Each structure stands twice: as structure tokens, then as C-alpha cells.
Amino acid sequence: MSDQSRPPRIHDVAKLAGVSVATVSRAMSNPAIVSDATRKAVEDAIAATGYTLNLTARNLRQQQVGGVLALVPNIANPFFSQILAGISTVLRQRGLSLLVMDTTAVGDQPALAVLGPYLNRSRSDGVIVLDGSLDPQLFTRPGCPPVVQACEWIEGLDAPRVLADNITGGRIAAQHLTGLGHRRILHVTGPAQNSLTASRRQGFLQGLAQAGLPEPGPADSIRGDFETRSGLDAVPHILTMDPRPTAIFCDNDEMAIGVIHGLTMAGVGVPDQISVMGFDNIEMSGYCLPPLTTVRQYRTRLGRRAAELLLARMQGDDDRQTVMLDVELLERASTAPPPTTI
């Protein structure tokens, strides 16, 4: 056993496990490449000795900071929680930390002044960008670490993307509502110029066209901002529409939950009088009343894939691929056929 006057070292682990120091290192950094018996012996030896990896020393040897930066638009939005959890799981397996910055906190300050210092290899080993509204020039400056885009994307930024299939998702929403018999469908969209807004709108219009409906006019959509409040704020306008829509598709679940709340408070039954559906399948969508029909995207998988792609880039892989992940309809109680008397 090692001298109790000093911290346990990797040599102590190797001696107790009956393997070489190199094998211990491999078992810790990439356990898939060693046998189950060897991995178990190393894990038992680590537990017995109390050995912990000296991350600072390792990072100095490897010329790493030991952390990855995620740029998130509004960290308070529950949509991002599972994506960040997926990213963190992959990074933790490689001994890397996750630093999260809220890009909405930049406010009136120039993004370069606030975010620029962190887009440097002295502050992070890689960057995962989840905000499609940022200037692509931020990520082309000398010293910027490898970049991967996730969920949203920035036009003009030549970096890999990991995305949900938003066009298909919008089409699925239109197909679901028209399949129930709805013909007057209102679309509560996301912010203008947002990549998700454009893609979901494109798919939604495709689905309406496939159902033989005419192309919607300006009065057939309301602009939101992905916040619950914007869905609630849309309700007074919806109530003045003549004729009223029999169904509403919202570009995300938060706005849909706001719409349902506003309609319910106004005495309009969902889905008896108006059906409502969203997009994303955040946790709250299954617990609102009525539970929300939505387009499910697999956010944890998206985060994991983005982290894996970034790790590959950090190892020198220069593939600029776009990874597109499937979405699917999750039908709950907030949608139904239109009322017979409308």
C-alpha cells in the first residue's frame, strides 16, 4: 500500500490492480478499449487507494484548459436543460467540464466584448453554439477553439451542425391538425430571422399544401418570441378573430402552454373549441391541462451528439457535416377534431 503521508498516485493503482501505468491511463480515459476484467480491476484499485486524477496536471501536459463552453440563448428556458445534460454526460466521460454562458445576458453590450474573451483557447477547449442569432465573425477570430452548432445554426458559420429535423416537424404538425379535420389553423411562430422559425414554418406550409389548403395569408399567423408570455399575449387577438381558428400550432411548447392558459382563462375550451399543439416536448408539456400534443425532439441525444462531434473536432477531425435527428408526433389531449358547429 502507498505511504499514507502522500496522496495516492497512479503507480499505486497500477501496482494494486496488477497492470501497467499505461493500462490504468487507458482504462480511465477510454474504458471501451480495455477488457471488462481489467477495467473492473482498475476501478477497484482506484476505490481502494482513493486515487483521483490530477486534472490540472493532465491539462497542462495535453495543453488543454479542461473545459468546453456552451453558448445558450436564455438559460432560463427549460428547453435547453436536456441538451446541456447530454453535452455534460459526454464531456464528463472525458474528464472535461462544461461552462455555460447565457447570450441574452449580453444585452446592450457588444457580443465581442462579452463573449470574445471566452472564445479563446486559453479559456475553453471547444465551443458548442446553441444561439443562431450570433454574428459568425465571433468564431472566425484567431485563437478561437473548435466550434459545433447545435439546435439552432448561424448562417455563414462554416462549422458542423447537429439539428432536429424542424422542417419535418412543422409538416407533421400540419398533417396532424388537417388529419383531424381542421381547416382554419393559426400558426404562432417564433422570432423573425430565427433559423428554427424559418424551418418550422417551411414544413408547416408544406403540410398545409399537401392537405389541399390554400397558402395562408398574413392574418393566419402571429409572431411570438418562444416565451410563455408571448403565447398568453396572443390570446386577446385570437379571441377577436372572425372566424376564429379551430386549431393553433405554436412553434414551441412554452408558447402553446401560454395560449392554453389564456384560452382557458377566457372560458374557451381546449380542445373542445380550439385545439392547440406545440413543438419540443419539454417536461411541462405532459403536465399542463390538458396535456399538450407536441412534436417530440430528442434533446438529450442532440446534446450528446453535439459533444461527440466537438470532441472529434478537438482531435483534429475537420468534417463540416450536418447531423439531422428525427422528430415524431406525440399526441395528447390538447388536440381533437374541430367542433361540429363552427
Side-chain angles (χ1 to χ4, degrees), residues 78-79 82-83 280-283 297-303:
F79 168 79
Q82 288 186 16
I83 297 178
D280 290 335
N281 190 38
I282 63 172
E283 184 177 11
Q297 58 170 309
Y298 293 92
R299 291 172 288 139
T300 302
R301 185 187 304 168
L302 190 150

Side-chain angles (χ1 to χ4, degrees), residues 140-285:
T140 59
R141 298 163 59 243
C144 184
V147 175
V148 167
Q149 303 175 84
C151 182
E152 298 184 18
W153 63 97
I154 302 171
E155 293 298 335
L157 177 57
D158 184 20
R161 302 172 177 178
V162 183
L163 312 173
D165 192 344
N166 292 284
I167 294 177
T168 295
R171 187 164 58 245
I172 286 173
Q175 290 170 341
H176 172 65
L177 295 174
T178 59
L180 289 172
H182 293 280
R183 293 297 178 265
R184 295 201 301 273
I185 305 173
L186 177 70
H187 187 188
V188 180
T189 74
Q193 310 305 319
N194 183 278
S195 54
L196 301 181
T197 300
S199 296
R200 292 173 187 179
R201 180 66 173 175
Q202 180 182 346
F204 184 67
L205 294 179
Q206 290 175 2
L208 296 181
Q210 289 173 357
L213 297 183
E215 183 172 346
D220 296 316
S221 65
I222 295 176
R223 181 73 67 194
D225 63 6
F226 289 146
E227 300 290 334
T228 307
R229 184 76 206 185
S230 68
L232 179 63
D233 289 344
V235 171
H237 176 69
I238 294 170
L239 297 178
T240 65
M241 296 177 71
D242 186 20
R244 284 183 187 172
T246 63
I248 301 171
F249 167 51
C250 300
D251 267 355
N252 77 339
D253 290 346
E254 285 201 71
M255 293 193 298
I257 291 170
V259 167
I260 289 175
H261 178 72
L263 292 175
T264 301
M265 295 298 291
V268 178
V270 177
D272 296 339
Q273 294 171 271
I274 299 179
S275 289
V276 180
M277 73 175 295
F279 198 117
D280 290 335
N281 190 38
I282 63 172
E283 184 177 11
M284 186 57 66
S285 67

